[in-house]
Every structure is written in C-alpha cells, then in structure tokens.
Amino acid sequence: MKVEDFAGNGPELRIERYFAGRTHAWGLFEDRFGTLRRSFTVVIDGHWDGRELTLDERFDYADGETDRRIWRIVRTGEGLYEGRADDVIGKAVGRSAGNALNWTYEMALKVGGGRWRVRFDDWMWLQPGDALINRANVYRWGVWIGTVSLFFLPEGRMIQPGAVNAAVPPPAAAE
C-alpha cells in the first residue's frame, strides 16, 4: 500500500486534531500463526501546542502488566510527521493522506525480561463516527512475527456504560 492511495478518502485524518484530548483504545497482538498472545487497553492523553503533539499512553494488559509511553510528534510538512519516544530507536516517520496514516519505526520492545529490536509498519484509517482502526505489522530481523490491531475512540464519542441494554431485544424488522 501507498499512503497516496487514500488521498481522496474521508474523513480526513489529522492526528494533531484527532488525538487532542483523551482517547481510549482496545488492542491485541496476534503472532504470525494467528495465535492471540496479548490483549490490552490504552488511555491516551493528547496535547497539541501548535507545534508538537504529545501523547501520554498508559497501557493495561490483560495479564496485569502495565506500561507507559510518551510520544512527541511534530508535523514537518503537509501530511508529514516525525515522532520520538523513549523506546523508539531513532525517529518514527509518518505520512498521511485522506483518512490514512502510515508510521514506520524501530522499537526496543520489552519481551519477558529482555528487549527485542523490532520494526513496525503501522497503518491507521479514520472511519465515520471518529473510530480509528490501526493495524501494525511487526518484524524482527526482517521476518514478520505478528500483527497489532487497535481500535481508538475519542472519549467524547464513546457509548456510555448503560446506554445500551443487551437484555432488551432490538425492535422487530418491518415486513
């Protein structure tokens, strides 16, 4: 895929607007054999100061582990971004067009008691209703080892608990 393939698609994704404020995410990691290895939630507090987007990400994993990453992202041109975080090796490079963003970066990923140097090819697509779908293929030594899938919603767009009652059947379809 090329990010330019999405140039005409909407809604337009501008990460500095999308991530301003609090965003919630739900994710999982599947290995290359399709086995679910981890699931997690993320609360992201974002701030755009007109030059830099700061994303404070707090991860809660299903196994009880927690983690935190703080991204500092600058817009370097129309549809161009660079980002840094403590566990990112060098800088992340992002390109956006239309409703899509592609991030590429290397990371010192915590695995067990050590760290693996991995490469992410990370794609995001903004959907109507402010749902953001994210799929990242992860590579180690040039070999695909798995995929991270994430789904984001800004806090103000979330369905509130109790707003949907699963015990009440939906109305019957008109015949």
Side-chain angles (χ1 to χ4, degrees):
M1 283 188 291
K2 296 181 297 204
V3 74
E4 295 81 13
D5 297 340
F6 300 94
N9 294 1
E12 180 184 30
L13 175 58
R14 294 271 185 158
I15 60 171
E16 62 272 25
R17 285 195 304 237
Y18 185 85
F19 285 107
R22 179 163 281 180
T23 304
H24 295 264
W26 301 262
L28 50 90
F29 175 75
E30 294 174 86
D31 68 19
R32 64 184 178 168
F33 304 107
T35 303
L36 177 63
R37 294 294 180 180
R38 287 195 105 176
S39 60
F40 56 93
T41 60
V42 190
V43 175
I44 305 160
D45 288 313
H47 176 72
W48 171 248
D49 68 7
R51 188 190 82 69
E52 181 178 80
L53 174 63
T54 302
L55 299 178
D56 185 350
E57 302 176 329
R58 289 174 310 285
F59 295 81
D60 286 313
Y61 292 90
D63 61 11
E65 185 179 346
T66 61
D67 201 2
R68 185 175 185 198
R69 176 175 301 113
I70 299 175
W71 281 97
R72 300 195 185 290
I73 301 167
V74 293
R75 188 169 171 203
T76 59
E78 186 61 34
L80 302 173
Y81 298 91
E82 288 183 356
R84 297 186 185 280
D86 286 344
D87 54 357
V88 170
I89 299 165
K91 63 184 172 191
V93 177
R95 296 179 56 223
S96 70
N99 71 329
L101 172 81
N102 178 225
W103 273 115
T104 55
Y105 54 94
E106 289 190 346
M107 175 180 282
L109 183 67
K110 188 167 59 168
V111 177
R115 295 212 175 250
W116 289 3
R117 185 178 185 134
V118 297
R119 182 176 60 84
F120 279 77
D121 183 14
D122 199 337
W123 283 89
M124 297 179 179
W125 298 274
L126 183 58
Q127 303 299 300
D130 281 345
L132 183 64
I133 299 170
N134 183 188
R135 186 183 69 220
N137 287 318
V138 185
Y139 301 85
R140 184 173 188 211
W141 299 314
V143 176
W144 173 63
I145 61 170
T147 301
V148 176
S149 300
L150 278 158
F151 304 90
F152 298 89
L153 275 177
E155 188 165 82
R157 298 299 305 244
M158 293 178 54
I159 295 174
Q160 298 302 312
V164 177
N165 185 343
V168 176
E175 294 183 25

